[in-house]
Amino acid sequence: MKNPYKWLAGTINNHTWAVAGVAVAVFILAFFGLSMVTMETGDDTYIDKTTTRGALLAHYKDTYGSDAVMLIHEADSVRSLEILRYIDNLHEDLRNERYVAGVTGVVDLLKRANGGTLPASKAEIDWIIGQAPPELVEQMMPSDLMTLSVITLEPGVSMDAQEQVLENIESAISISEPPPGLSVTVSGNPAFAKEMGEAIGTEMGVLILAAMLLMILAVSLLFSHVRYRLLPVGVVAVGLIMTFGFMGLFGIPVSMTVVGAFPVLIGIGIDYAIQFHARFDEEIRSSTIPEAIRATVTQMGPSVLIAMMATSLGFIAMFFAPVPMVADFGSVCTIGVISCYVAALIIVPVFAIITRYQPKKEAGSSAEPDNSLIERYNRLLGRLAYTIAKHPIPVILLFAMVAAGGYHLDQSVPISADEKTFVPSDMPPLLDMEKVTRTMGATSTIPIIVTGENVLSHETLRWIAEFGAYEIERNDKITGVTSIATLLADQNGGVLPETSAEVAEVLARIPVETQKRYLNGNMETVLEFSTVSMEMDVAKSLIEKMRRDATWNEPPVGVGVMVTGGLEMFAAVMDDISDSRTLMTVLGFAFIFGFLVLVYRKTSAVSPVIPIAFIVGWNGAIMYFLGLDYTPLTAVLGSMTIGVASEYTILIMERCEEELARGMEFLDAIQTAVQKIGTAVTVSGMTTVFGFAALTLSTFNIISNFGIVTVISVGFSLVGAIVVMPAVLALMYRPARDRRKPVVAGP
């Protein structure tokens, strides 16, 4: 069977324009897929609906959970009759909107107390508000400057439908002509999700542009010794468009973590383009264009392929993460590195033929061609590698000790899954949400679903009532509970009905819409526990305690009790992050080790993995000392580092193997490998750092923190490849050298 890389080199040399035409066709297909890319926020990015927990949450949202849109009305005096009439008219308009289950506010309180109409004077308004329960007034009208309206949506409304409702609400407000001095702000979870989606879209464009500009700067500075030094940037741009296109074709949405993948891809993709470009520039200096293409494609093609596959395996390990947005991050990165590899493999040689590439003359006199900055740097790397290879043990021990300390410190790095800490602290929707929370208390609840053969039996209803009262009494974070038991008791003089007939009679008095909010037939019901606003780790502890309490209170035989809801989901994400970051890292090591053994079929295949193991440990120490948290995005750091660092270490090992195959002694082979490829690796690494640095410009905390640690991680990867890898190779190749060396008596 003919070597595919020899075939590809021959095809590019002999049918250049045909290859270019195929490449353009694929590019056009990618442009078509680009229009199909969608944005995604909300629960679906945190939890998989196919899991038990995800299916339960989806069922709760579809059956009971109704999101609410808040309207914040602010003026010098919201008690003025003109403003209250405006709010009342706005409520009537909004009640007619599709998917709106109800609209409530202070005007409803005033109308109920005044026979169904608004009071005619401010004195009457003040009197009614003065007679109303203080806690109710505090929620609806915390001061004379502000009042809130709550627009309750129907259960199970999709994100797309919620966005449509929000647009309709905003449109209704814009044409309603509010009285002078009155401002109306739309808030609540749906508005927060919508604004966050739009911010993510804007952020993605800014980050990609910043990464590309930084990349151009880095390549201009570090890759100036070759002609057409910006060619790698064009290659990466093509690879990025292909990635977007395949995302659209495969239905992979853009989420908060996926946004961080694009600068990562730019950083990694530039490596492949630089490696091919640097090798071609090296070959063209002593051969013709066809020969240089043949050498570049046949020598660098397989080497970079192995590095690319190892990188992809690090990202593939993310597929097993239980958090969907992390799995999507892995999918996008895998598609991206493959796209960038193919783009570099095809574009660099095709471009060389079309432009009739000529190497750039070395700076300086022709009599001293080896005094250029690049050549001096190459020789420095070579001498460093030779010295390390002669004394590998101290180097290995030093870096291993640092890594061991890093792994220990990594266990103390905190985990965060609070979505509100991921976004900019001055983001207007977040500030509006905090304003609502200060007024009404926490808007989220902890729902508990109760199932059984007949949840309306007296025994089950009594247990529901007693369990609700027990939780309120024992947990100061719980402020109240609403359930079918509390509704029945409210309609029956404060006591539960005793018989089935009494239950049916009292139930008939409860409006059907209210029943549906807490009852699903006779076999399922839900308790809604309202809570104070609290940190996510506190919420996690509360939920775990409520689970234990439900078991300890012994529900009736045949009755199931399950905790669900948004708080429970985010608490579970904390556990998922903790478990998945270890799982992804272990799988990343296992995949790459197995792949290298399969490819090389010898002991030295483990060489690239050893520096990577050190680097992952160093990352843990950096996370600890910088005071950063593990989030759904930084959780991928271990497996991502494995993928990125493996490229550098594998390329150096590949070049070393190439020199050994030519008969070179192992120390000289290590020196030559690092000297020949060290500059390309350094340039690749530094341009990758520039690409990742774009992440630090993000206004999203989750992305900027990820940018900080990835920049440091890439720096560690360079140290691992240039400093640690020669020591590892020396230990691997020395036994083979000693076996071949004849035994000589004496000194």
Side-chain angles (χ1 to χ4, degrees):
M1 181 179 177
K2 188 174 182 179
N3 185 310
Y5 287 96
K6 289 182 179 179
W7 172 86
L8 178 61
T11 303
I12 291 173
N13 278 324
N14 299 323
H15 307 284
T16 306
W17 290 105
V19 173
V22 172
V24 170
V26 174
F27 189 70
I28 293 172
L29 177 64
F31 253 113
F32 171 73
L34 188 61
S35 63
M36 303 167 64
V37 176
T38 59
M39 205 76 64
E40 186 174 60
T41 59
D43 297 347
D44 290 350
T45 63
Y46 290 98
I47 193 165
D48 184 356
K49 286 186 176 181
T50 62
T51 62
T52 302
R53 173 177 279 115
L56 180 64
L57 179 60
H59 169 71
Y60 164 75
K61 292 243 178 210
D62 291 341
T63 308
Y64 308 103
S66 57
D67 283 308
V69 178
M70 311 293 181
L71 298 184
I72 305 174
H73 308 275
E74 294 177 285
D76 291 338
S77 176
V78 292
R79 295 194 187 195
S80 76
L81 197 55
E82 182 184 15
I83 287 177
L84 291 174
R85 282 175 180 163
Y86 165 80
I87 294 174
D88 188 33
N89 292 332
L90 181 61
H91 283 193
E92 291 301 322
D93 291 341
L94 296 178
R95 287 189 180 99
N96 297 323
E97 292 290 342
R98 190 180 179 190
Y99 303 120
V100 171
V103 184
T104 58
V106 70
V107 291
D108 300 285
L109 171 66
L110 295 171
K111 289 167 72 175
R112 279 197 303 270
N114 196 51
T117 61
L118 278 175
S121 67
K122 189 173 183 301
E124 293 178 90
I125 293 171
D126 292 340
W127 185 85
I128 293 173
I129 290 176
Q131 298 300 310
E135 63 276 6
L136 184 60
V137 174
E138 181 68 22
Q139 282 192 335
M140 292 183 173
M141 185 183 289
S143 74
D144 196 39
L145 303 175
M146 181 175 72
T147 184
L148 299 176
S149 299
V150 181
I151 305 170
T152 307
L153 304 183
E154 295 174 355
V157 176
S158 67
M159 288 298 296
D160 291 339
Q162 287 186 16
E163 289 190 7
Q164 185 59 54
V165 172
L166 285 168
E167 291 176 4
N168 294 342
I169 292 172
E170 290 166 354
S171 177
I173 293 171
S174 65
I175 64 175
S176 62
E177 299 181 359
L182 174 67
S183 67
V184 184
T185 305
V186 181
S187 185
N189 286 324
F192 177 76
K194 178 176 178 290
E195 291 288 339
M196 188 168 66
E198 293 174 355
I200 288 173
T202 303
E203 191 85 3
M204 182 173 63
V206 171
L207 291 181
I208 291 176
L209 177 61
M212 294 300 289
L213 292 176
L214 288 171
M215 198 66 62
I216 291 172
L217 175 63
V219 172
S220 299
L221 293 174
L222 303 173
F223 208 42
S224 59
H225 61 288
V226 302
R227 192 174 296 279
Y228 305 116
R229 53 184 162 184
L230 294 183
L231 174 60
V233 178
V235 171
V236 170
V238 172
L240 205 63
I241 291 173
M242 291 172 62
T243 303
F244 270 113
F246 289 123
M247 282 179 63
L249 294 173
F250 296 151
I252 302 173
V254 175
S255 64
M256 192 169 6
T257 57
V258 170
V259 168
F262 296 111
V264 170
L265 290 179
I266 293 173
I268 295 174
I270 201 75
D271 289 351
Y272 304 147
I274 286 175
Q275 294 295 340
F276 280 106
H277 193 175
R279 183 60 181 263
F280 177 82
D281 190 79
E282 177 187 335
E283 296 292 339
I284 195 63
R285 294 178 185 277
S286 58
S287 61
T288 64
I289 288 179
E291 290 171 345
I293 288 174
R294 189 176 300 109
T296 301
V297 172
T298 57
Q299 293 295 328
M300 288 303 295
S303 297
V304 179
L305 175 68
I306 292 172
M308 184 274 293
M309 292 181 69
T311 301
S312 299
L313 288 172
F315 293 130
I316 288 172
M318 300 178 195
F319 293 3
F320 298 88
V323 183
M325 69 168 75
V326 174
D328 287 344
F329 182 94
S331 300
V332 170
C333 287
T334 303
I335 293 171
V337 295
I338 295 173
S339 298
C340 290
Y341 170 77
V342 172
L345 180 63
I346 301 298
I347 292 175
V348 171
V350 168
F351 180 86
I353 292 175
I354 293 174
T355 59
R356 297 178 181 176
Y357 190 101
Q358 292 293 324
K360 193 175 183 180
K361 291 182 180 180
E362 294 283 356
S365 67
S366 58
E368 295 179 316
D370 290 340
N371 285 334
S372 67
L373 177 63
I374 295 299
E375 287 301 325
R376 290 200 298 271
Y377 181 69
N378 285 339
R379 289 196 296 270
L380 174 64
L381 290 182
R383 287 194 295 269
L384 176 64
Y386 189 87
T387 303
I388 291 172
K390 285 188 69 175
H391 309 285
I393 299 297
V395 175
I396 296 290
L397 289 178
L398 173 63
F399 287 114
M401 289 174 59
V402 176
Y407 280 111
H408 174 71
L409 293 174
D410 184 67
Q411 305 304 312
S412 302
V413 176
I415 297 171
S416 174
D418 189 348
E419 187 177 47
K420 292 181 178 58
T421 64
F422 299 161
V423 302
S425 58
D426 58 350
M427 186 176 176
L430 178 61
L431 298 178
D432 293 335
M433 285 279 289
E434 291 174 348
K435 189 182 295 184
V436 171
T437 301
R438 287 194 299 269
T439 302
M440 302 185 66
T443 56
S444 56
T445 61
I446 301 178
I448 294 184
I449 294 178
V450 177
T451 59
E453 290 186 3
N454 182 12
V455 294
L456 293 176
S457 68
H458 181 71
E459 182 183 17
T460 303
L461 289 172
R462 187 176 71 243
W463 184 88
I464 291 172
E466 291 174 352
F467 177 69
Y470 178 88
E471 290 301 306
I472 293 174
E473 181 183 348
R474 300 299 180 94
N475 296 307
D476 58 355
K477 298 292 186 292
I478 295 177
T479 59
V481 62
T482 305
S483 66
I484 192 64
T486 62
L487 294 176
L488 289 169
D490 289 343
Q491 291 288 333
N492 196 47
V495 296
L496 282 173
E498 292 288 337
T499 65
S500 299
E502 290 177 353
V503 169
E505 190 271 328
V506 176
L507 190 63
R509 293 186 228 146
I510 301 174
V512 174
E513 290 302 318
T514 305
Q515 291 184 37
K516 288 181 179 179
R517 182 68 185 80
Y518 299 96
L519 185 66
N520 183 25
N522 288 344
M523 301 181 67
E524 185 180 271
T525 186
V526 67
L527 295 86
E528 294 277 2
F529 288 93
S530 55
T531 67
V532 299
S533 182
M534 53 188 152
E535 299 293 332
M536 193 52 61
D537 55 345
V538 177
K540 182 174 180 289
S541 299
L542 174 60
I543 289 168
E544 290 172 352
K545 184 177 184 304
M546 293 176 74
R547 280 200 180 96
R548 293 193 299 269
D549 290 346
T551 303
W552 188 85
N553 277 274
E554 296 183 358
V557 177
V559 171
V561 181
M562 297 165 288
V563 183
T564 186
L567 277 178
E568 195 277 338
M569 177 193 70
F570 283 114
V573 168
M574 293 180 68
D575 292 332
D576 290 341
I577 292 173
S578 177
D579 297 338
S580 63
R581 68 187 176 93
T582 304
L583 173 65
M584 289 186 293
T585 303
V586 171
L587 285 177
F589 277 121
F591 287 164
I592 290 179
F593 178 72
F595 171 71
L596 294 176
V597 169
L598 185 65
V599 169
Y600 294 105
R601 302 176 187 274
K602 54 185 176 182
T603 309
S604 60
V606 74
S607 301
V609 179
I610 296 173
I612 299 170
F614 292 172
I615 296 164
V616 173
W618 303 342
N619 286 343
I622 285 298
M623 290 283 292
Y624 178 83
F625 287 119
L626 291 182
L628 300 177
D629 295 349
Y630 275 115
T631 64
L633 193 49
T634 50
V636 309
L637 184 62
S639 54
M640 192 198 74
T641 300
I642 292 170
V644 173
S646 63
E647 178 194 346
Y648 303 145
T649 55
I650 288 173
L651 286 175
I652 287 180
M653 186 181 74
E654 276 282 310
R655 189 61 184 256
C656 188
E657 293 280 346
E658 186 179 330
E659 301 303 331
L660 287 172
R662 294 173 179 169
M664 195 174 285
E665 201 270 338
F666 86 99
L667 286 177
D668 294 331
I670 294 172
Q671 177 180 356
T672 303
V674 174
Q675 185 168 319
K676 288 289 187 181
I677 206 170
T679 298
V681 167
T682 303
V683 173
S684 297
M686 292 308 297
T687 49
T688 302
V689 165
F690 273 66
F692 284 12
L695 293 169
T696 63
L697 303 177
S698 174
T699 57
F700 281 71
N701 301 327
I702 186 175
I703 297 176
S704 60
N705 290 342
F706 178 64
I708 293 170
V709 294
T710 50
V711 165
I712 296 172
S713 178
V714 173
F716 285 162
S717 299
L718 284 176
V719 173
I722 294 174
V723 179
V724 180
M725 192 62 183
V728 174
L729 290 174
L731 291 179
M732 288 295 173
Y733 292 138
R734 190 185 298 272
R737 191 280 308 266
D738 292 341
R739 284 196 297 271
R740 291 194 299 268
K741 185 176 179 179
V743 179
V744 179

